[in-house]
């Protein structure tokens, strides 16, 4: 088939690669001049299936109030006269129960685990390089109450056979030696040894070249205006380069997917939640993290990427604004210097923000719509990098008429519309 993919972030490019590998003729369209220049550009760098958890969970409404009042809080809400924002927030609150948290997490872990395994296959098959490390993720707890509150997460990890280690203070230092100098600042951690790290932007750009070698055509600097339908099918996409047509279409535009889908009558529960990062040159290797350390108090991930440290965090609900706020950088600076004071050269840091495409309950939206030739691959939130290869591979199987290796029936838009309306 001729397949047109809208979006050249990590989700769009992995979809293109797997579709081309399956023998399809693929074109990717994006307004940017290169792949992975928006949300995929400078994320936290984690490939963390074991840390694939919904943001909506028990106790979150109470915690949210505390976070909003913290100097370095992980949550920021900038109110807007946008009913979509408030409806999305209400839907998220509905999912803040123990029962829904367990169900939603159980829907996220399989696609995340499958994606990590698919990424490993890619490394073996094509030798792709992207400052990868396979040394796990350490969720670091500053307070005993945080460590004591991991029971529900651990229950789901056990259910799906995800290896984990509950570590004492000394156990944390054993896997992250640079923490020895600040050991009075934490009590223990939860380590997920099979998690990985890597530069998502570097990966996506490299995979795009492999996709081109398979015949994928990229149309950059091309604005996407709207999708045209003819009865039960999509008949074309209006772009700045004219109307483009194909046999099948894939919507992989991250946070912008819901705006393009709405005129088609597709109620897609995806809303942007802005995240921030700083990228810092390593100043002292022994003072930098070995892999990823998740500072649970501030919800900040600190990751080693080659000769750099990537520090990512904050959930800012402010619509589609990509404005950078210095206060958000201060939180990232604080977490890094508090835990790894000798690691990075903050004077040379670069500051970035990106719009994460979040669903109210956590799992992404992958698969068919009411239009026979339109598929979705979006809504991955903070886990687009983690879930990218698996999502692209599943989507390619669907469009090729093959049964995916894992059950993704709970991720379709029909299921979301049933739950959320």
């Amino acid at each position: 088939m001729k397949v047109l993919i809208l979006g050249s972030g990590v989700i769009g490019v992995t979809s293109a690669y797997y579709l081309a590998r399956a023998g399809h003729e693929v074109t990717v369209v994006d307004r940017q001049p290169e792949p992975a220049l928006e949300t995929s550009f400078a994320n936290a760098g984690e490939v963390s299936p074991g840390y694939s958890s919904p943001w909506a969970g028990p106790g979150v409404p109470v915690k949210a109030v505390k976070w909003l009042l913290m100097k370095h809080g992980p949550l920021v809400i900038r109110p807007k006269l946008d009913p979509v924002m408030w409806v999305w927030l209400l839907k998220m609150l509905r999912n803040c129960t123990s029962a829904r948290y367990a169900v939603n997490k159980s829907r996220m872990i399989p696609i995340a685990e499958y994606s990590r395994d698919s990424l490993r296959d890619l490394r073996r098959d094509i030798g792709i390089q992207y400052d990868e490390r396979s040394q796990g993720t350490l969720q670091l707890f500053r307070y005993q109450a945080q460590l004591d509150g991991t029971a529900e997460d651990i229950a789901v990890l056990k259910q799906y056979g995800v290896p984990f280690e509950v570590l004492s203070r000394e156990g944390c230092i054993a896997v992250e030696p640079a923490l020895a100098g600040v050991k009075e600042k934490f009590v223990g951690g939860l380590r997920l040894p099979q998690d990985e790290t890597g530069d998502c932007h570097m990966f996506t750009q490299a995979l795009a070249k492999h996709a081109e070698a398979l015949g994928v055509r990229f149309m950059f600097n091309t604005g996407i205006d709207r999708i045209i339908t003819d009865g039960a099918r999509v008949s074309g996409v209006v772009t700045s380069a004219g109307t483009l047509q194909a046999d099948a279409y894939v919507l992989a535009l991250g946070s912008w997917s819901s705006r393009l889908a709405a005129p088609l009558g597709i109620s897609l529960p995806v809303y942007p939640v802005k995240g921030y990062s700083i990228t810092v040159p390593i100043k002292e290797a022994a003072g930098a993290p070995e892999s990823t350390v998740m500072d649970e108090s501030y919800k900040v991930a600190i990751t080693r990427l080659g000769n750099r440290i990537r520090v990512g965090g904050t959930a800012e609900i402010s619509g589609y604004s990509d404005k950078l706020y210095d206060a958000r950088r201060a939180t990232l600076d604080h977490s890094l210097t508090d835990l790894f004071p000798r690691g990075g050269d903050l004077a040379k840091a670069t500051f970035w923000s990106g719009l994460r495409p979040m669903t109210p309950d956590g799992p992404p939206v992958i698969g068919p719509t009411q239009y026979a030739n339109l598929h979705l691959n979006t809504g991955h939130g903070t886990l687009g990098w983690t879930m990218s290869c698996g999502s692209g591979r599943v989507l390619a199987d669907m469009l090729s008429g093959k049964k995916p290796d894992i059950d993704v029936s709970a991720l379709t838009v029909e299921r979301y519309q049933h739950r959320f309306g």
Side-chain angles (χ1 to χ4, degrees):
M1 292 188 298
K2 292 183 178 180
V3 183
L4 182 65
I5 298 176
L6 309 181
S8 70
V10 69
I11 299 298
V13 171
T14 50
S15 299
Y17 174 81
Y18 284 107
L19 281 163
R21 202 173 72 171
H24 301 290
E25 183 182 332
V26 182
T27 300
V28 180
V29 184
D30 199 289
R31 64 184 178 185
Q32 296 289 352
E34 298 176 4
L37 290 187
E38 295 194 24
T39 306
S40 302
F41 182 72
N43 62 27
E46 299 171 85
V47 178
S48 301
Y51 200 67
S52 296
S53 302
W55 284 24
V60 166
V62 174
K63 291 177 184 177
V65 175
K66 175 185 174 183
W67 291 335
L68 288 169
L69 298 174
M70 286 171 59
K71 179 182 179 181
H72 295 297
L75 176 65
V76 177
I77 298 177
R78 302 189 191 280
K80 291 184 174 295
L81 294 175
D82 179 5
V84 177
M85 171 193 284
W86 299 107
V87 169
W88 186 90
L89 283 167
L90 288 172
K91 289 175 180 178
M92 183 178 179
L93 288 173
R94 283 179 54 200
N95 280 277
C96 291
T97 67
S98 296
R100 292 194 180 198
Y101 178 84
V103 168
N104 293 330
K105 180 157 185 162
S106 72
R107 289 170 171 164
M108 298 169 74
I109 285 182
I111 184 68
E113 291 272 308
Y114 179 64
S115 187
R116 184 207 51 221
D117 294 344
S118 298
L119 178 59
R120 290 175 176 174
D121 291 343
L122 269 188
R123 288 204 300 270
R124 183 193 67 234
D125 295 343
I126 63 176
I128 191 167
Q129 297 182 350
Y130 49 94
D131 280 345
E132 176 270 334
R133 285 190 170 216
S134 299
Q135 294 178 234
T137 296
L138 176 63
Q139 188 177 6
L140 197 69
F141 302 115
R142 293 175 181 263
Y143 308 105
Q144 188 63 39
Q146 294 171 332
L147 187 58
D148 295 340
T150 59
E152 289 185 1
D153 280 337
I154 287 174
V156 177
L157 294 174
K158 288 180 177 178
Q159 178 185 350
Y160 285 91
V162 180
F164 68 91
E165 300 167 343
V166 179
L167 301 180
S168 64
R169 179 183 285 124
E170 294 306 318
C172 293
I173 294 170
V175 296
E176 288 289 352
L179 292 173
V182 294
K183 62 183 181 180
E184 75 283 354
K185 295 185 177 180
F186 58 93
V187 298
L190 175 65
R191 182 170 181 257
L192 304 168
Q194 290 194 355
D195 283 3
E196 303 180 0
T197 58
D199 188 317
C200 181
H201 174 254
M202 186 184 296
F203 169 85
T204 307
Q205 294 226 327
L207 190 64
K209 289 183 171 61
H210 284 281
E212 281 185 311
L214 293 174
V216 174
R217 177 191 179 203
F218 286 89
M219 294 180 63
F220 294 117
N221 298 303
T222 303
I224 300 167
D225 298 325
R226 59 191 174 91
I227 297 172
I228 308 170
T229 59
D230 180 12
R233 298 179 63 84
V234 170
S235 57
V237 176
V238 179
T239 76
S240 59
T243 299
L244 305 178
Q245 294 181 311
D247 301 313
Y249 301 81
V250 177
L251 182 53
L253 285 171
S255 297
W256 301 91
S257 299
S258 52
R259 287 193 165 183
L260 212 62
L264 307 180
I266 299 174
S267 180
L268 189 55
V270 174
Y271 195 77
V273 176
K274 184 161 61 176
Y276 293 85
S277 76
I278 53 172
T279 303
V280 188
I282 289 178
K283 180 169 62 176
E284 185 178 328
E290 289 297 318
S291 185
T292 289
V293 173
M294 172 62 71
D295 187 347
E296 180 63 19
S297 294
Y298 304 112
K299 302 291 185 182
V300 168
I302 306 170
T303 302
R304 188 180 192 132
L305 296 175
N307 60 359
R308 302 157 294 147
I309 301 172
R310 175 71 50 73
V311 188
T314 301
E316 179 179 302
I317 301 171
S318 57
Y320 287 81
S321 166
D322 59 359
K323 182 177 179 180
L324 292 167
Y325 290 94
D326 290 340
R328 305 280 63 80
R329 172 168 178 170
T331 298
L332 304 177
D333 290 356
H334 170 73
S335 188
L336 175 63
T337 56
D338 202 43
L339 295 178
F340 298 96
R342 299 179 293 112
D345 186 353
L346 273 179
K348 297 179 180 178
T350 56
F351 188 30
W352 171 88
S353 73
L355 300 178
R356 309 180 186 107
M358 300 283 291
T359 58
D361 57 345
V365 188
I366 305 172
T369 67
Q370 63 261 43
Y371 297 93
N373 59 343
L374 176 63
H375 279 62
L376 302 171
N377 198 358
T378 188
H380 296 78
T382 59
L383 297 164
W385 180 204
T386 293
M387 296 181 175
S388 57
C389 290
S391 298
R393 192 170 172 181
V394 161
L395 189 80
D397 284 343
M398 288 178 171
L399 283 170
S400 301
K402 294 173 57 179
K403 182 179 179 181
D405 293 334
I406 61 170
D407 181 10
V408 291
S409 58
L411 305 181
T412 63
V413 71
E414 287 84 0
R415 289 294 183 94
Y416 274 91
Q417 288 176 331
H418 176 72
R419 284 199 303 259
F420 297 131

